[in-house]
Amino acid sequence: MEKEKPMAGKLYLCATPIGNLGDMTPRVVETLQMVDLIAAEDTRNSLKLMTHFDIHTPMTSYHEYNKVEKAYTLIAKMQEGQNVALITDAGTPAISDPGEVLVKFCQEAGIVVTSLPGPAACITALTLSGLSTRRFCFEGFLPPDKKERLQILSELEEESRTIILYEAPHHLRTTLDLLVEHLGNRRITVCKELTKRFESAIPMTLHSAVEYFEENEPKGEYVLVIEGKSIEEKAKEKQESFLDMSIEEHMQIYLEQGMSEKDAMKAVAKDRGVSKRDIYQVLHVEK
C-alpha cells in the first residue's frame, strides 16, 4: 500500500518590533511558539527577542547571502509537513528583505504563505512625516551599483507620489547630496529611532538636511520621507519646454497626430498658458 504524503506545512511571515518590544503582537508570539522552525535573519540578534517572550522554538539562519539555497531547504521541510516562521531583524519580513525570495519560491512550490501584520519602519515614518500619505512609493535602500542608483534617482525626479527611502548612517550624507542634485530643494522628514525612547521625525528641506548632517554625525538607521513633485511644478516645466519651440513647430506636433487645426490651436494655447486667440493671431494675422 502506497504511503500517504504528509500534508504540507505553511510559511508564516511574522512582523517583529522595530524598536519597542511592546509592539510584538500576541498572535506573533503564539505562532513563533507553535511552529516547528523559525528562519531568522540573524539568529544571535533574534535570540534576545525569543528569550524576552519565552519562545524556545529552534532557529535557523536565513539572510541575503544564503537566501536561494536556504529557501530550497526550508521548502523541503514544509513539504514534509513542518510549519516555518520567517522573521527579520526588525519589522515585516519581505520588505527590503531576502524574505521576498522565499515567498516567491513557496508560491511556485504550492506552499501556503500567510502574513501576520505588525511594525514596518516605512509606514511608521510615513505617518509621522506630515507629508501626503494618499499616494506614496517605497524605494527601500538605493542600489549600491552606481549606474542602477542613478537610474532610480532619474526616475524619482518625475515622481509625484511621496517617496520613502531607507539609509544607513555611513551613506546618509552622500544620499542627501544626490537627492538635492536630482530632486532639488524638496521637503523631507528625516526619521530615526522609530518607536524607541529617542524617536525623532524632523521636517526640513533637502538643503537644510545636507547642512545639518555636515555638522552632525549621522547615527542609527534612517528613514527618509520626501515630498513628490507637485502637479503645478510638472505643469510649469511642461509649459517651459513648449516655449522653447516656435508656435508653428508646436502646432505641427498636434497636426501630425491627426488633430484639426482648430483643436490643435486649442491644445497649443493650453500648453503655453495663453488664449486660443493669441495663437490664431501668430499663425494668421502676423504673417
Side-chain angles (χ1 to χ4, degrees):
M1 187 175 174
E2 194 177 334
K3 234 181 174 180
E4 261 189 49
K5 285 185 180 177
M7 188 174 289
K10 286 184 182 179
L11 175 67
Y12 295 84
L13 305 177
C14 295
T16 54
I18 58 176
N20 192 318
L21 291 178
D23 293 333
M24 186 84 151
T25 69
R27 184 181 171 208
V28 168
V29 173
E30 185 182 322
T31 299
L32 293 176
Q33 290 170 334
M34 171 274 294
V35 294
D36 300 289
L37 184 65
I38 297 169
E41 186 175 4
D42 185 331
T43 54
R44 293 164 302 178
N45 183 63
S46 296
L47 185 59
K48 301 169 192 172
L49 188 71
M50 300 302 113
T51 302
H52 182 85
F53 288 101
D54 196 29
I55 297 166
H56 304 285
T57 306
M59 284 193 292
T60 187
S61 64
Y62 181 80
H63 48 70
E64 182 64 29
Y65 303 104
N66 71 355
K67 63 185 178 184
V68 174
E69 61 269 27
K70 196 58 172 284
Y72 290 118
T73 302
L74 294 171
I75 285 169
K77 289 182 182 298
M78 286 181 272
Q79 287 172 330
E80 291 168 2
Q82 292 190 40
N83 290 307
V84 176
L86 178 67
I87 60 174
T88 184
D89 277 349
T92 302
I95 301 292
S96 272
D97 176 78
E100 66 175 318
V101 172
L102 181 56
V103 172
K104 178 176 180 287
F105 286 7
C106 280
Q107 289 180 343
E108 291 170 353
I111 300 291
V112 175
V113 181
T114 188
S115 183
L116 284 63
C122 53
I123 298 300
T124 304
L126 176 65
T127 57
L128 289 174
S129 69
L131 298 172
S132 173
T133 61
R134 191 179 75 83
R135 298 171 66 245
F136 62 92
C137 70
F138 173 63
E139 281 293 335
F141 290 94
L142 290 174
D145 179 77
K146 186 178 179 181
K147 186 177 179 182
E148 192 181 350
R149 184 167 65 245
L150 291 176
Q151 175 63 38
I152 296 293
L153 287 165
S154 296
E155 290 173 8
L156 292 179
E157 288 175 12
E158 297 303 314
E159 181 57 70
S160 59
R161 296 170 295 178
T162 301
I163 302 161
I164 307 171
L165 298 174
Y166 287 163
E167 195 49 275
H170 53 287
H171 288 146
L172 183 65
R173 287 169 173 163
T174 300
T175 295
L176 289 172
D177 287 339
L178 285 168
L179 289 171
V180 167
E181 181 184 335
H182 287 268
L183 308 183
N185 193 26
R186 303 231 192 130
R187 288 189 298 159
I188 180 174
T189 299
V190 179
C191 301
K192 190 179 76 160
E193 298 289 299
L194 293 172
T195 77
K196 298 177 185 176
R197 184 180 177 186
F198 297 107
E199 171 182 279
S200 64
I202 307 171
M204 52 180 85
T205 64
L206 277 169
H207 282 169
S208 58
V210 168
E211 290 172 4
Y212 178 83
F213 287 105
E214 280 175 357
E215 298 175 7
N216 297 273
E217 187 70 27
K219 293 177 182 177
E221 299 294 322
Y222 289 86
V223 185
L224 309 178
V225 188
I226 309 147
E227 74 173 335
K229 193 173 203 176
S230 68
I231 293 170
E232 293 77 13
E233 190 181 355
K234 278 191 167 188
K236 185 182 176 184
E237 286 183 1
K238 185 179 178 184
Q239 188 180 74
E240 287 172 354
S241 71
F242 285 128
L243 295 178
D244 290 336
M245 64 177 77
S246 69
I247 288 176
E248 289 80 4
E249 289 170 331
H250 199 161
M251 279 286 293
Q252 195 60 35
I253 291 172
Y254 289 115
L255 293 172
E256 287 175 0
Q257 291 175 12
M259 277 191 183
S260 67
E261 185 178 5
K262 182 181 177 183
D263 287 341
M265 280 195 290
K266 191 184 292 184
V268 169
K270 184 180 178 183
D271 288 342
R272 301 172 87 92
V274 298
S275 70
K276 184 182 164 188
R277 185 169 174 273
D278 291 333
I279 302 301
Y280 182 88
Q281 283 192 316
V282 171
L283 294 173
H284 298 284
V285 178
E286 293 180 5
K287 291 183 177 179

